Amino acid sequence: MNRIKLAVIADDFTGGADAASFLKRKHANVVLLTGIPLMLPDCDCVVFALKIRSVPVSDAIKKVHDVLLFLEQYQVEHLYYKYCSTFDSTPKGNIGPVMDFLLDYYDLTYITSLIDAQKSPLLIYSDAVLKDFKTEKKIPCILYSS
């Protein structure tokens, strides 16, 4: 069984290409894919550039699920869900539902994410965006913008 240090699921090709280029700059042996191959070439990292940001939620979740099923044949040390850097999801968007699916799939209680495109600190869980840290609501996932 091959060991993969990092598997990335990106919600579009641009984000996937960005992630692959960042890894390559750090000398990772990375492969960028736009679909699921029969098998992976020799690599340390794999990036799946999926077109899931603007498709129906059920289609996005199915494509992510297909990638996860494919990755079961490899020892994946880390999984990163690279969603839109401008965080342009809507209440009916895919970022939150895909994160919720990943939580369920791996039986996790929270996901820690980091976004960079916003100008103010945010707390985010699923599709809920809170504009500051003064809320009384307890949210298990904390995201900081830079």
Side-chain angles (χ1 to χ4, degrees), residues 69-139:
L69 291 174
F70 171 78
L71 289 173
E72 284 181 359
Q73 63 188 302
Y74 300 92
Q75 289 180 316
V76 177
E77 293 179 25
H78 302 281
L79 177 71
Y80 175 61
Y81 173 47
K82 193 321 189 170
Y83 52 83
C84 179
S85 59
T86 58
F87 200 73
D88 64 353
S89 186
T90 66
K92 294 183 181 179
N94 292 336
I95 295 171
V98 169
M99 285 183 164
D100 287 340
F101 171 76
L102 291 168
L103 283 167
D104 291 342
Y105 188 85
Y106 289 108
D107 195 28
L108 299 171
T109 55
Y110 65 92
I111 292 176
T112 302
S113 297
L114 185 63
I115 59 174
D116 188 40
Q118 304 296 325
K119 294 181 181 175
S120 61
L122 301 173
L123 285 175
I124 299 171
Y125 178 71
S126 251
D127 287 323
V129 178
L130 305 176
K131 297 290 182 189
D132 60 56
F133 294 108
K134 296 179 182 177
T135 178
E136 296 294 319
K137 188 173 181 182
K138 293 182 180 178
I139 299 177

Side-chain angles (χ1 to χ4, degrees), residues 1-74:
M1 181 179 289
N2 294 347
R3 173 163 285 193
I4 303 296
K5 291 180 181 176
L6 175 66
V8 177
I9 298 174
D11 69 359
D12 69 355
F13 183 80
T14 303
D18 287 348
S21 71
F22 299 150
L23 291 165
K24 188 67 175 171
R25 272 189 252 158
K26 293 297 181 182
H27 309 288
N29 180 8
V30 62
V31 61
L32 173 63
L33 302 169
T34 57
I36 298 174
L38 294 175
M39 59 186 271
L40 287 177
D42 184 41
C43 61
D44 297 323
C45 304
V46 59
V47 178
F48 291 89
L50 305 179
K51 186 177 179 180
I52 61 171
R53 185 181 321 147
S54 59
V55 302
V57 171
S58 60
D59 293 348
I61 289 172
K62 182 186 181 328
K63 288 182 179 186
V64 169
H65 186 237
D66 290 346
V67 168
L68 298 178
L69 291 174
F70 171 78
L71 289 173
E72 284 181 359
Q73 63 188 302
Y74 300 92

